[in-house]
Amino acid sequence: MSLINGASGTGTQSGASGNDAISQALGGTELGQMFTKLLVAQVQYQDPLEPTDSSTFITQLTQLSQTESLQSLNSQLSTQSSILDSLQTMQLGSQVGSTIMVTASSVQLDDMALSASVTLPATADLTLELTAADGKVSKVSLGSNAVGDAPFSIDPTALGLPAGKYDIAVKDASGTSYPIEVAGTLQSVRMTATGAVALQVQGLGDVLPSRVTRFLGQQA
């Protein structure tokens, strides 16, 4: 009885050692270990009268190799993305204090005027619409503007607007809206909890770097 137990124990240890050797040969990864268990189970429980074709195991090994390569590639891309985000943060950090132009559909007004601009493909009579949080709409005529940049100013004091957040839109006589660029001072650059880069811009709050259209430099 003891001889049988001893032989069984030896066989188990040999099987475990074999599994470990295969896992190490496959890289010792979690995926490799899982594949080893499945491979050993296939061999143990295959029909002895119709054994599994060795080409099947080769195909499985190839698929495992491809999967691990993709995982490694994803990991490398993630690392490179993190490095690029860090470089972008440092580069943008050097622009703190500069005036930048940002595409915006809303602004935070206080007692300071904001400079903004739209780009026109043709001459048009423009109207600025400012919608307060309560839904009240204030309209300001911007007059006729020629092709190209059409700059304008939003002065809440002159317009009698209380401080607060306003949705903004610039439309022509036909009601067509144009993308608005708002100028503001870049106050800080930070990384969010999700690892994204956020820019703190005066009058606009947090904005994504992709919304920056121009760097105007620091004011003298």
Side-chain angles (χ1 to χ4, degrees):
M1 189 73 176
S2 59
L3 291 176
I4 294 176
N5 289 338
S8 175
T10 302
T12 302
Q13 291 176 358
S14 298
S17 299
N19 291 352
D20 291 342
I22 296 175
S23 293
Q24 291 175 2
L26 293 171
T29 63
E30 182 179 349
L31 184 62
Q33 292 172 0
M34 181 184 299
F35 177 81
T36 302
K37 293 178 181 178
L38 292 174
L39 181 62
V40 171
Q42 277 185 293
V43 174
Q44 287 179 336
Y45 296 104
Q46 66 181 332
D47 186 349
L49 299 179
E50 295 182 4
T52 304
D53 188 353
S54 59
S55 62
T56 301
F57 297 125
I58 294 174
T59 300
Q60 292 172 342
L61 282 169
T62 301
Q63 292 173 341
L64 171 67
S65 177
Q66 292 173 341
T67 301
E68 289 192 320
S69 295
L70 288 174
Q71 287 184 332
S72 176
L73 179 60
N74 286 335
S75 177
Q76 291 175 6
L77 289 175
S78 178
T79 301
Q80 291 176 354
S81 177
S82 177
I83 293 173
L84 289 175
D85 285 342
S86 298
L87 290 174
Q88 184 184 47
T89 302
M90 290 188 290
Q91 290 175 342
L92 290 171
S94 66
Q95 297 294 328
V96 171
S98 297
T99 300
I100 61 177
M101 299 290 287
V102 179
T103 56
S105 58
S106 64
V107 292
Q108 183 71 37
L109 298 180
D110 45 34
D111 57 350
M112 296 183 62
L114 292 179
S115 296
S117 175
V118 295
T119 302
L120 300 177
T123 300
D125 289 322
L126 301 178
T127 299
L128 169 66
E129 295 184 359
L130 296 158
T131 305
D134 60 4
K136 181 180 179 180
V137 180
S138 300
K139 296 185 178 182
V140 181
S141 175
L142 301 178
S144 179
N145 291 266
V147 177
D149 289 343
F152 60 93
S153 177
I154 305 175
D155 188 342
T157 301
L159 298 174
L161 298 175
K165 185 177 182 179
Y166 291 81
D167 291 333
I168 58 175
V170 171
K171 300 179 181 180
D172 60 19
S174 67
T176 301
S177 296
Y178 297 91
I180 302 173
E181 297 175 88
V182 178
T185 302
L186 178 58
Q187 298 176 320
S188 67
V189 180
R190 66 182 180 85
M191 297 289 288
T192 66
T194 59
V197 179
L199 311 180
Q200 180 73 25
V201 182
Q202 179 187 14
L204 297 171
D206 281 346
V207 301
L208 296 175
S210 59
R211 289 173 53 191
V212 177
T213 58
R214 312 184 212 185
F215 287 88
L216 304 180
Q218 297 190 5
Q219 298 180 349

